[in-house]
């Protein structure tokens, strides 16, 4: 889903025009794993553009449900799996989407707990089978990617029995930080927080990126402001924020 790029001068011009126009309030659908990114980007964009953002965070199934609910939205910055759903895709503008950020899978334990060896596929398999419980969000783009890893390792049935499914990334962190689950399996940027110690990323041969891609809502009435937001997400300022939150741009 790679796509188009914008010249820096063009982006600045769009932002200036948007600021001069009547301020809009944009409703944004966003992957929950980008919560920390939006916490920084939202005030920066609002100050620069004069527009306001109302951000709805969700997992892939939540975002598909929201996109198809009939409730208007202006921009989506969502896992590519959302765009793979035909019903959801029909509610976004036609044409290519713009990949904004990506991040790989990782493992974490409660702060101070022993860290298992996950340096190779065999080591990761052994660590997962030894763990009494793991926390993740099976019904999410991340969960789908982790399930593929379980399948490749031949441990799907065993891991399903150990899974402590959580509704949000924050809950994945919380249950492991409190010792209610032994391992957290999620995106690296989410796991790098107080209360957890990151064990490391999945081994390279098993690693899968979750990619967040942007598109305008098909029914947006604020197309110019919505496009200004998407353009802003490719500026050096936004890229710096994305990197600082443990994700890779594009």
């Amino acid at each position: 889903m790679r796509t188009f790029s914008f010249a820096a001068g063009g982006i600045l011009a769009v932002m200036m025009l948007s600021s001069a126009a009547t301020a809009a309030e944009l409703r944004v659908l966003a992957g929950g794993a980008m919560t920390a990114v939006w916490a920084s980007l939202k005030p920066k964009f609002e100050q620069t553009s004069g527009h306001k953002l109302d951000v709805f965070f969700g997992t892939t199934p939540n975002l598909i449900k929201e996109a198809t609910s009939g409730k208007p939205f202006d921009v989506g910055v969502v896992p590519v799996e959302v765009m793979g759903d035909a019903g959801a895709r029909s509610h976004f503008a036609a044409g290519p989407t713009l990949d904004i950020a990506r991040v790989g899978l990782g493992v974490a334990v409660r702060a101070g707990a022993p860290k298992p060896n996950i340096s190779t596929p065999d080591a990761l398999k052994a660590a997962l089978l030894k763990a009494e419980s793991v926390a993740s969000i099976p019904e999410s783009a991340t969960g789908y990617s982790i399930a593929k890893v379980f399948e490749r390792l031949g441990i799907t049935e065993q891991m399903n029995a150990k899974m402590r499914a959580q509704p949000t990334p924050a809950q994945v962190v919380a249950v492991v930080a409190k010792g209610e689950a032994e391992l957290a399996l999620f995106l690296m940027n989410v796991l790098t927080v107080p209360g957890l110690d990151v064990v490391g990323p999945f081994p390279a041969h098993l690693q899968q990126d979750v990619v967040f891609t942007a598109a305008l809502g098909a029914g947006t009435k604020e197309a110019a402001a919505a496009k200004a937001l998407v353009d802003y997400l490719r500026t050096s300022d936004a890229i710096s924020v994305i990197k600082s939150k443990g994700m890779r741009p594009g």
Side-chain angles (χ1 to χ4, degrees), residues 18 22 31 34 44 99 103 134 139 146 161 185 204 211 217 231 240 244:
S18 297
T22 303
M34 290 190 72
K44 289 175 179 288
D99 292 347
V103 63
V134 297
E139 294 300 318
I146 291 170
L185 307 182
V211 180
D231 289 353
S240 177
S244 74

Side-chain angles (χ1 to χ4, degrees), residues 69-222:
S69 68
K71 188 173 182 179
F73 67 93
D74 301 288
V75 178
V77 185
V78 298
V80 294
E81 288 78 4
V82 174
M83 297 299 183
D85 181 272
R89 185 67 183 90
S90 68
H91 290 269
F92 289 89
T97 63
L98 179 64
D99 292 347
I100 300 300
R102 62 185 61 228
V103 63
L105 307 172
V107 180
V109 296
R110 178 174 51 85
K115 296 181 179 180
N117 177 16
I118 62 166
S119 60
T120 66
D122 285 343
L124 175 63
K125 179 178 180 178
L128 293 173
L129 290 175
K130 183 179 179 181
E132 293 187 3
S133 57
V134 297
S136 192
I137 309 178
E139 294 300 318
S140 68
T142 305
Y144 305 154
S145 295
I146 291 170
K148 291 177 184 176
V149 174
F150 291 165
E151 185 176 356
R152 287 181 62 184
L153 293 175
I155 58 173
T156 297
E157 186 174 347
Q158 297 96 314
M159 296 313 299
N160 285 345
K162 298 170 184 280
M163 183 62 65
R164 302 293 182 265
Q166 302 301 317
T168 66
Q171 283 299 107
V172 172
V173 171
V175 296
V176 175
K178 291 187 290 186
E180 296 173 2
E182 187 173 341
L183 300 180
L185 307 182
F186 210 68
L187 299 177
M188 285 292 290
N189 66 309
V190 173
L191 301 179
T192 310
V193 293
L196 298 185
D197 286 342
V198 174
V199 179
F202 279 30
H205 291 308
L206 296 175
Q207 186 60 272
Q208 298 187 56
D209 280 345
V210 173
V211 180
F212 297 84
T213 198
L216 271 58
T220 181
K221 297 185 184 338
E222 301 288 355

